Amino acid sequence: MALLETSRYSQGSALGSVNPDLASERQTASFCVERLTALLDGGAEQTRIRRAVGTYLQGLETTAVFDTATQEFILNTPKISAMKWWPGDMGRSATHTVVFAQLYIHGKCYGIHPFILQIRSLQDHSLCPGITAGDIGPKMNFEHTDNGYLLLKSVRIPRENMLSKFCEVRPDGTYVRQGSQQINYFTMTTVRISLISDEVLTPFMKACTIAIRYSVVRRQSKLKPGEQEAKILDYQTQQEKLLPQLAAAYAFHFTNNYLQELFNRGYAEIHRKNFDMLPELHALSSGFKAVITQHCTAGVEICLRACGGHGYSLLSGLPSLYTKILASCIYEGENTILLLQTARFLIKCFMAASAGQPVPPSVTYLAAMKHGKCPAKNKLDFLSPDIYIEAYQHAAVRLTSNTAAKLQDLIQSGVKKHDAWNQCTVQLVQAAKAHCHYIAVKNFAETVEKLETKAGIQKIMKHLCDLFALHGIFSNTGAFLHDGYTSAAQMDMVTASYLDLLAVIRKDAVPLVDAFDFTDKCLNSALGSYDGQVYQRLYEWAQKSPTNQMSPAYERYLKPLLHNTLSKL
């Protein structure tokens, strides 16, 4: 159970919960964790107004200065650009929060650390002394969440309020650390993995369900003379819009499982005071948070557009899904910055692998650069996981190695390291994306292989895996053609197999979205209900709209206007 947790994910806060392992056993007991979690809403405050995303943590400006005379930390917001901005439930609800601040002892900075802070009275809910807080105002969505701001002016808290499982400040001001300083970033890793499942994949799967169900109800034009109008999902163009999104939903579901398993292993190692997995966990959670949120946001918009005019109606459920998922590209780290953090990890690992040093399991492929050509001879060869996994691996290694070489060349030519890095950031982002796509495709294929005891399911999942992989190649031909690894003729084979798969998966599209098991109440969509009664439900729901009741505007504005006009006639 988390030490403190917000009621729901919200833009820009350290969403969800502060990791319980930042607190010592004594703190867990003394703060009565279960009671706080049950009774109090809390935010984790690290975002500031100048950087309204949870990205550059080491640049936080809030300070916590230790006063040895009083055994207290003094918390201050040094300037308006450093105020906390966006934390969920901060505006009106939260009574306690966990503030991340730069720790200072005897004038020396020891980096960011988490502190428990009460911000409102438990008697009358008024703000505590030195606290300025409120709601930040209207947003694109999440209107139910009171995202807030927070300023601190000489707020004193006891020494025991610094979470101290891995580091502590002793009464005389001595600073003692156990393990890695990176543990303070573990909260963000936890949050990024959990939000993929809760705040990204769920709305993406809902959008796929709504659009695919609607596409087997909606009819448009005739495919063959003399027949009735065809279901729009029978058109290849509609299939090409929606079925790759369906395949991606399953791919990212399995990717999320992969990340969760990796997280669980890392979590167990942290309990043993082994922090070796933290860099890999950070890189993968950052990269996949960026790649999955970006893809799913674009996917929800594709689903909305694929439903035509009805998709734009709030009654479809799609606009609210879109405005909700769009925020995921921004909170808990802006995606470009997160991809660059993944890229930094990749470059370090590539240099280590090139020098024959050991690297984490997810990047061992960087040491296995192959300079051959794609061995596919016909379109069926591209339905072999070995063929397309190797193609993805080749593209990922090429992009990482080429970017690393460019960085080295710039530095050796006299360009300063930070300038050289900035001159390579576009290619670094490409390398990070390629790495994540390779891991996602490889993991999907390995997951399908483990389903061998369930032949029927395995066959359908294999089709989805193939479609996910080939869609990625079809949509990014330049990355695979660049160095001649694949030829133009082989790209034609990819296209042929990709288009063939659309018709195959079309047959199972509805059962595949039904398997997400959303109730009609959960979907809240006139287009996506299980019974397919789209038009009846649209009509019934429209009749309930307040705008269909007699408006007082008629008596006040329209009636005088109409009567005056008629009298003149």
Side-chain angles (χ1 to χ4, degrees):
M1 183 173 283
L3 182 65
L4 291 172
E5 61 182 28
T6 56
S7 60
R8 205 69 201 129
Y9 287 104
S10 50
Q11 298 152 301
S13 67
L15 307 181
S17 60
V18 175
N19 192 278
D21 284 298
L22 295 178
S24 65
E25 292 181 6
R26 177 177 54 80
Q27 287 177 319
T28 300
S30 64
F31 286 126
C32 193
V33 174
E34 286 78 8
R35 186 166 178 271
L36 277 174
T37 303
L39 299 179
L40 305 178
D41 287 319
E45 313 311 334
Q46 56 194 33
T47 302
R48 46 191 167 139
I49 190 170
R50 187 158 62 87
R51 291 188 179 89
V53 287
T55 304
Y56 185 53
L57 301 190
Q58 62 183 310
L60 290 176
E61 297 170 299
T62 301
T63 59
V65 179
F66 183 57
D67 184 346
T68 54
T70 62
Q71 295 292 292
E72 294 173 315
F73 292 104
I74 308 169
L75 275 61
N76 272 290
T77 304
K79 51 189 176 181
I80 197 166
S81 64
M83 77 166 71
K84 308 301 182 182
W85 196 269
W86 280 109
D89 302 314
M90 172 61 65
R92 299 179 299 274
S93 308
T95 57
H96 289 68
T97 186
V98 173
V99 172
F100 282 79
Q102 300 285 1
L103 170 64
Y104 283 85
I105 307 172
H106 302 313
K108 180 180 177 181
C109 181
Y110 287 85
I112 64 166
H113 288 73
F115 303 84
I116 293 180
L117 172 67
Q118 181 173 344
I119 61 172
R120 289 186 173 92
S121 166
L122 297 182
Q123 277 69 48
D124 61 8
H125 209 59
S126 61
L127 291 170
C128 295
I131 303 289
T132 301
D135 191 280
I136 66 170
K139 305 175 290 285
M140 189 173 181
N141 200 329
F142 296 96
E143 286 304 302
H144 61 283
T145 303
D146 54 317
N147 297 91
Y149 59 81
L150 175 71
L151 292 102
L152 308 172
K153 185 175 182 180
S154 299
V155 178
R156 289 178 173 266
I157 58 174
R159 180 176 63 89
E160 293 77 16
N161 280 32
M162 186 181 92
L163 299 183
S164 57
K165 181 160 189 175
F166 297 102
C167 51
E168 68 172 320
V169 178
R170 291 178 176 168
D172 63 356
T174 301
Y175 180 80
V176 180
R177 179 188 301 282
Q178 299 180 47
S180 170
Q181 186 175 3
Q182 291 175 313
I183 191 63
N184 287 326
Y185 296 84
F186 189 58
T187 294
M188 298 301 293
T189 298
T190 306
V191 167
R192 285 169 185 152
I193 292 174
S194 62
L195 82 84
I196 289 172
S197 173
D198 299 338
E199 302 301 308
V200 180
L201 290 184
T202 297
F204 184 42
M205 289 175 173
K206 285 182 178 180
C208 289
T209 302
I210 293 167
I212 286 174
R213 284 181 176 174
Y214 176 65
S215 294
V216 297
V217 173
R218 174 79 167 95
R219 293 178 179 271
Q220 177 72 49
S221 304
K222 298 179 180 180
L223 273 173
K224 298 177 182 178
E227 294 186 352
Q228 66 172 326
E229 289 185 289
K231 298 175 181 179
I232 59 173
L233 194 58
D234 289 333
Y235 289 96
Q236 189 184 64
T237 48
Q238 188 77 349
Q239 294 169 7
E240 209 272 329
K241 292 174 188 175
L242 297 180
L243 300 187
Q245 310 313 318
L246 176 62
Y250 276 90
F252 294 146
H253 168 74
F254 295 132
T255 299
N256 186 62
N257 290 346
Y258 162 80
L259 289 174
Q260 192 61 57
E261 289 170 9
L262 188 71
F263 172 83
N264 291 340
R265 292 202 303 273
Y267 192 69
E269 289 302 312
I270 288 171
H271 273 285
R272 301 184 187 101
K273 300 296 190 293
N274 177 7
F275 303 90
D276 292 346
M277 288 184 68
L278 278 177
E280 183 181 33
L281 264 174
H282 172 67
L284 284 170
S285 66
S286 297
F288 274 116
K289 184 272 178 185
V291 167
I292 292 177
T293 58
Q294 210 159 298
H295 188 109
C296 291
T297 298
V300 171
E301 183 178 357
I302 288 170
C303 289
L304 187 153
R305 292 187 180 202
C307 292
H310 289 323
Y312 192 72
S313 168
L314 285 178
L315 301 183
S316 74
L318 291 165
S320 59
L321 290 175
Y322 179 70
T323 54
K324 180 180 181 181
I325 200 171
L326 178 61
S328 69
C329 295
I330 304 166
Y331 60 56
E332 297 322 311
E334 193 277 330
N335 283 353
T336 301
I337 297 174
L338 291 183
L339 288 168
L340 287 172
Q341 292 180 12
T342 302
R344 193 176 294 277
F345 170 79
L346 286 176
I347 295 298
K348 287 181 180 178
C349 291
F350 178 79
M351 302 305 290
S354 300
Q357 299 171 8
V359 293
S362 64
V363 288
T364 52
Y365 73 94
L366 292 175
M369 178 75 169
K370 297 180 181 179
H371 297 283
K373 304 289 184 180
C374 177
K377 303 297 183 184
N378 55 61
K379 69 176 185 178
L380 294 179
D381 286 343
F382 278 104
L383 299 180
S384 166
D386 290 341
I387 295 290
Y388 54 68
I389 288 173
E390 189 170 320
Y392 273 90
Q393 177 180 313
H394 181 88
V397 173
R398 177 184 63 77
L399 284 164
T400 300
S401 62
N402 286 0
T403 308
K406 180 182 175 182
L407 264 173
Q408 288 295 102
D409 289 345
L410 286 169
I411 293 169
Q412 290 173 4
S413 70
V415 178
K416 293 181 180 179
K417 284 186 178 181
H418 58 272
D419 288 328
W421 180 265
N422 189 44
Q423 291 177 36
C424 295
T425 49
V426 170
Q427 289 149 298
L428 286 164
V429 166
Q430 289 177 330
K433 287 180 179 179
H435 170 69
C436 292
H437 288 158
Y438 162 65
I439 296 292
V441 169
K442 182 171 178 286
N443 179 69
F444 199 166
E446 290 173 350
T447 302
V448 170
E449 191 175 351
K450 293 174 186 176
L451 295 172
E452 58 185 9
T453 58
K454 303 174 182 178
I457 296 174
Q458 185 185 50
K459 182 179 179 181
I460 296 171
M461 288 296 110
K462 170 66 164 55
H463 292 327
L464 286 174
C465 181
D466 294 342
L467 184 66
F468 177 70
L470 296 187
H471 175 73
I473 299 174
F474 176 79
S475 304
N476 300 279
T477 54
F480 297 91
L481 286 169
H482 183 86
D483 62 349
Y485 178 77
T486 54
S487 66
Q490 287 173 323
M491 279 300 168
D492 289 339
M493 299 173 196
V494 168
T495 301
S497 285
Y498 169 61
L499 297 179
D500 287 347
L501 281 167
L502 297 176
V504 172
I505 295 172
R506 159 65 182 94
K507 301 170 186 175
D508 297 308
V510 173
L512 283 166
V513 295
D514 288 350
F516 295 148
D517 203 24
F518 294 118
T519 63
D520 286 352
K521 183 177 180 180
C522 180
L523 281 179
N524 193 28
S525 169
L527 304 189
S529 295
Y530 187 77
D531 62 10
Q533 297 299 314
V534 170
Y535 303 112
Q536 182 64 26
R537 192 168 278 102
L538 275 173
Y539 177 54
E540 289 174 357
W541 288 14
Q543 286 180 305
K544 297 175 184 178
S545 172
T547 56
N548 283 322
Q549 312 306 315
M550 179 60 74
S551 171
Y554 171 75
E555 291 290 337
R556 186 170 181 180
Y557 300 110
L558 292 180
K559 186 176 179 180
L561 176 65
L562 292 172
H563 282 225
N564 288 340
T565 302
L566 287 173
S567 64
K568 291 177 182 179
L569 291 175

